[in-house]
Each structure stands twice: as structure tokens, then as C-alpha cells.
Amino acid sequence: MRPLLAGLLILLAAASATAQPRTVEVRVPRTFGYFLGDLVEAIVEVETEPGFTIQAASLPQPGPVTYWLDLRRVETETAGTRHRLHLTYQTFYAAIDARTLEVPGFPLVLTSADTHGATTAPIQVPAWNLGVSPIREVQPARRADPAEYLRPDGQGPRLDPAPPRTAALALAALALPALLLLARDRAWWPFRPRPARAFAEAARRLRSLARQPDSEAGYREGLLALHRGLDAKAGSRLLADDLDAFLGRHPAYRPQADNLARFFAASRLAFFGNAVAEARCRMPLAEAEATARQLAVAERAA
Amino acid sequence: MPADTFHIAWPRLRPGLLLALPVLLLAGALAGAVLTWRAAAANREIADLEAGRDRPVATDAPAPLLLARVLYLAHRDATEEMEPLVAALETRAAPALLARARYALGNARLRRALDLIERSQLDPAGPLIVLARQEYRRALQARPDFWDAKFNLDVASRLIRDFPEVDRQVGDELKAEPKKIWTDIPGQPRGAP
């Protein structure tokens, strides 16, 4: 009981000792010469005992302060025991002569939270003076039409088409080399067929043949096209017996091994067995085309 | 090994990437071209409005086009038609354009008020001046360095001064009355006939 009481007494003593902040100061970079609508910056500096902070709920809220003054922004900044409030006001006082007005002060609550609970201490930010100035003479020259006293409506801006135009041109300029890269990868015009894209050429030839009406000549030509592709890829005339060795050298085409074997069998039938009908039954042109297409895909990924 | 993964993954990805790249770039170029064309079309309409040829402007039009129509209407002091357009501008993130629109609305109201004062109709002029001052004040809240608005707010403020006692709590804002709700049916017969 006794140590607890002693602790409580120490706490009370500490609370009363820290209840008073050392200083509250309002600093205004300029206190005179404000027109209506001007922004007024003010800095409130509060020096507290260690451990105390400004309670966020006690900060002034942005909004109207008096009929001629708005508070627009409140920012806090803390460095050790020094707390700083950056206040931005906006004055709407339509002055006829230069005069000094009082900006009202406001209360703040300091709080210190420790293991024994929170201690709070109210402080008052003092009012300060602000000098406002007139924007026009007291009695302007007479005008025939009172609307001439007003400033004109003015003009609005136009839309700026330059940024989207620049972006469109830049993207189009980048698309051109991208298209060239794609054309080179697929051996499209203006790039010539080359050994590295031999199957692309064969697949293209077979596709155009598949679109034409069915004929024996077309079928033979299709088989020949795939033969030429295989020859170009192998670097020499490729026969059915060389297929295994070829697939050993180019493992990327191994998934098509069965189709290629059927292709060679059909080719043998068509060109040497004189049995084109049977060959077409074993390996229709559409399948040869699909095989060539698969080979071309594998070729691009190799 | 990331290097090994790259060497395996790159050849497989390359054909797809090479196909996607020009497609995406051309799509972006097309979008840019459409935006450019729209900006040019809006600028032509703004030029028409500035030349005094009226054009209907929808509330979802680009902000500068909305402002051009507001200024066109302000020139004719058509305040009622301006209000929905100014309200539409409020939803855009264009404080400078909104300030100009509010200023033009304030000017139109103040010109009508001055016209009424010229004809010695002081009673209807009062509310118009108060509303004009509100618009100038809001224009300055959106753009504090708007000197024309400061000047005209000063002109309006000399016609009707602020009275500290009247609106100390509310500033220049008029608070809307909460909607009155009937808690009883009026005129319902009660008791004996």
C-alpha cells in the first residue's frame, strides 16, 4: 500500500510540474499588406516538457474561423520537445482602408501517455493581429454602365493535343522496328527464306496449296515443299533413312517424329510406288500442312 | 540457376513476345491518335463558342469545353443554364477551370444585380449580389491568386457588406435546411364529427 501511495504522489507531483508548457509562440512571416483572397501563413510553436505531444483531436479543423477568415490547412511537425503547427488561412476581408484585424486564438491539449495512464494539459494559443489592405480606391471614377466596374470574364484554355500526338507518333515509330523483327522471325516479306526458317517457307507453301482445289499435282507439290524444307534444314538431301540422325541433331523437332515417318512413307508411295491415292489416304495434305506448321513453331522457338 | 532458366525460357517466349510487341505498340498508337482527334474536335467547338456560335455541350464533355460553354452563357447572363455545367466542372480535377467558371457565374449574377439596381429594383438585387459573392469566394478558394476574382469580389462586397453578427457561425455558406418530414397526416379528421 505504502509504495503505491508514494508512486501516486510522485505521479501527481510530476503531472503538476509538467502541466505548464514552457512557451507558446505564434510566428507570422508577414502581418500586414494582405488583400482579400490572399493566403496567410502562420506558425505556432509550442515548447513542451519531454514526453508531451499535441492531442490530434484538439487541433483546429480546416473551415471557416470567422465570417472573413477561413482556415485551409493544418500541418504538424515535431522535433523533440518542440512542436510546430503550420497553419494556412485565407482572408476574405474586403477592406476599404488599411486596417488591423484580430485572428482569434484557439485552445490545444497536450497529452503525455505513459504506463500509468495519460496526463493532459490544456494550453491557449493567443490571438494575433493581421493587417489587411484595400485593393481599389474608395471612390472609383464614374462609369456610365456600372458593369464596367467589373473585370471581364476572360477566356478559358484549349485542350492540348500535343501529348497524345507525341505519344501516338512515338509508339508508331517503335511499332515499325517491332514489325520488322516479327517479319524477320517469321521470314515474311521482305525477308528471304533462309535455312534457319526453312519450315516457315514450307508451311506457307503448303497452306496456299491446301486452299487450292484438290489435285494430285498439288499434293505432290505439297510433299515436295516439305521435302525442300527438310533438305534446307538438314543442309543436304534428307531421305527416310536419315530421319533418325536428323532428329538426333535437331531434338527440337522430335515431337513430330511420328508424323515425319508417315510423311516419308507417303512420299515413297506417291513418288516411287505410283500410288498417290493411297499416299493421300495415309497422309492427307491437311495433315502435312499441320506437321509443317508445328515444325515452323518449333523452329521459331529453337 | 536463373541464367539457365532464362536460356530455356527465352526461346519459347520469344515468338509470342515478338508477335505481342507490335500489336501492343500499334494499339497504343491508335489510342493516342483517337485522343488527339478528340482534343482537336473539342478545340474546334471551343473556338465556335468563343466566336459566339452556340453549341450544345453535354455535362460529360472535356473540362475546357464545359468552361467555354459557361463563358458563352455568362456573356448572355444566362445564370440558370450555367449552374448544371459549373456543377459538372466541380467533379473534375481542374481547380483553375472551376475557379474561372465560378468567377464567370458570379460576374453574370452581379451584372444582373447591377442592371436591377439601375432600374431601382433593389429587393431582387440583394440575393443576387450575395450569391455572386459566394461564387467569387469559392473561385478564390479554388485559386487564391485569381486577381480578377479578388477585384470583382471587392466590387460586390462594397454593394453589400458582411455583417459579423449575421453569419459569424456559417461564414459565407448557406446551410441547407434538413428536409422537413410530416410526422402526422395533416387534415385527418379527429374526434366526433
Side-chain angles (χ1 to χ4, degrees):
Chain A
M1 189 66 204
R2 188 176 284 263
L4 187 71
L5 197 69
L8 210 68
L9 279 174
I10 288 167
L11 193 72
L12 281 175
S16 60
T18 54
Q20 296 301 317
R22 267 192 227 138
T23 53
V24 182
E25 201 182 353
V26 181
R27 289 199 292 151
V28 185
R30 174 162 65 92
T31 58
F32 52 86
Y34 287 97
F35 295 130
L36 81 173
D38 278 0
L39 297 180
V40 185
E41 303 282 343
I43 299 163
V44 176
E45 275 197 356
V46 184
E47 179 87 48
T48 61
E49 295 292 330
F52 276 83
T53 54
I54 297 173
Q55 200 175 55
S58 74
L59 289 172
Q61 291 297 311
V65 179
T66 67
Y67 72 97
W68 59 273
L69 191 70
D70 281 3
L71 180 58
R72 286 172 65 104
R73 201 165 54 235
V74 179
E75 281 165 15
T76 55
E77 184 192 323
T78 300
T81 59
R82 186 180 288 270
H83 305 279
R84 201 175 269 185
L85 298 184
H86 293 267
L87 305 170
T88 307
Y89 292 95
Q90 190 172 18
T91 166
F92 290 102
Y93 193 87
I96 292 177
D97 51 3
R99 65 175 61 194
T100 301
L101 303 169
E102 190 188 77
V103 178
F106 51 87
L108 283 177
V109 177
L110 300 179
T111 171
S112 157
D114 54 22
T115 50
H116 303 291
T119 315
T120 59
I123 54 165
Q124 180 70 28
V125 175
W128 49 282
N129 287 330
L130 182 69
V132 292
S133 297
I135 203 167
R136 300 187 306 144
E137 66 265 56
V138 176
Q139 198 153 25
R142 273 203 74 79
R143 306 277 173 90
D145 180 6
E148 283 176 25
Y149 288 116
L150 296 180
R151 302 280 306 148
D153 290 350
Q155 280 202 338
R158 302 282 176 97
L159 272 90
D160 187 4
R165 190 172 53 211
T166 314
L169 288 176
L171 288 174
L174 284 174
L176 200 67
L179 271 175
L180 282 175
L181 279 178
L182 179 67
R184 187 179 175 280
D185 188 47
R186 307 249 163 170
W188 288 346
W189 182 89
F191 295 97
R192 295 176 168 283
R194 55 192 189 279
R197 291 291 180 271
F199 289 132
E201 177 62 19
R204 195 152 48 218
R205 186 86 194 101
L206 274 162
R207 194 158 52 238
S208 76
L209 284 171
R211 271 200 297 268
Q212 286 165 14
D214 244 10
S215 72
E216 283 196 4
Y219 182 70
R220 282 165 188 259
E221 206 180 322
L223 292 185
L224 275 178
L226 190 46
H227 269 301
R228 291 295 89 80
L230 283 164
D231 293 346
K233 183 60 72 181
S236 62
R237 197 48 61 92
L238 194 74
L239 301 177
D241 298 337
D242 310 327
L243 186 58
D244 283 340
F246 170 75
L247 291 177
R249 271 183 284 133
H250 301 279
Y253 310 119
R254 207 166 275 161
Q256 299 298 319
D258 289 347
N259 285 333
L260 283 172
R262 275 200 302 133
F263 161 74
F264 275 110
S267 165
R268 195 190 298 262
L269 277 172
F271 292 113
F272 302 109
N274 227 348
V276 176
E278 201 192 332
R280 287 175 77 173
C281 194
R282 279 205 196 176
M283 184 104 193
L285 196 60
E287 266 184 45
E289 190 225 327
T291 306
R293 200 169 56 231
Q294 293 298 323
L295 286 170
V297 170
E299 177 183 57
R300 280 199 295 275
Chain B
M1 280 288 208
D4 279 356
T5 323
F6 177 78
H7 281 302
I8 294 167
W10 171 242
R12 294 180 181 206
L13 291 175
R14 192 183 56 203
L17 285 176
L18 282 172
L19 186 62
L21 195 65
V23 169
L24 290 177
L25 287 170
L26 284 175
L30 196 68
V34 168
L35 286 177
T36 310
W37 179 80
R38 277 199 200 161
N43 279 348
R44 276 196 298 279
E45 291 202 41
I46 291 173
D48 275 352
L49 285 165
E50 281 174 1
R53 289 188 293 275
D54 196 12
R55 290 269 176 287
V57 172
T59 48
D60 59 348
L65 184 54
L66 280 175
L67 176 61
R69 169 101 166 129
V70 165
L71 292 171
Y72 169 86
L73 292 170
H75 192 61
R76 281 146 189 79
D77 293 347
T79 50
E80 283 80 12
E81 290 175 64
M82 292 166 75
E83 276 159 30
L85 297 177
V86 175
L89 261 176
E90 248 173 272
T91 59
R92 316 294 174 82
L97 302 192
L98 179 61
R100 175 69 67 181
R102 288 205 179 286
Y103 165 75
L105 182 53
N107 278 356
R109 286 194 169 133
L110 194 53
R111 280 193 292 261
R112 278 178 56 188
L114 290 170
D115 190 45
L116 289 170
I117 291 170
E118 281 281 282
R119 292 188 268 135
S120 306
Q121 297 177 347
L122 299 185
D123 283 347
L128 278 175
I129 295 170
V130 171
L131 287 173
R133 288 184 29 176
Q134 260 183 40
E135 297 300 339
Y136 290 139
R137 187 164 174 152
R138 287 189 191 160
L140 283 170
Q141 280 166 349
R143 212 183 118 194
D145 61 344
F146 195 171
W147 284 95
D148 286 352
K150 292 184 191 199
F151 191 92
N152 286 4
L153 175 55
D154 193 76
V155 174
S157 297
R158 294 219 188 151
L159 294 171
I160 294 185
R161 302 287 301 170
D162 266 327
F163 293 107
E165 293 77 19
V166 176
D167 50 7
R168 181 177 280 279
Q169 282 92 35
V170 295
D172 234 358
E173 301 280 331
L174 292 175
K175 288 274 190 297
E177 285 276 309
K179 195 179 259 181
K180 294 212 173 68
I181 297 167
W182 291 104
T183 52
D184 204 349
I185 299 167
Q188 194 178 23
R190 268 186 201 161

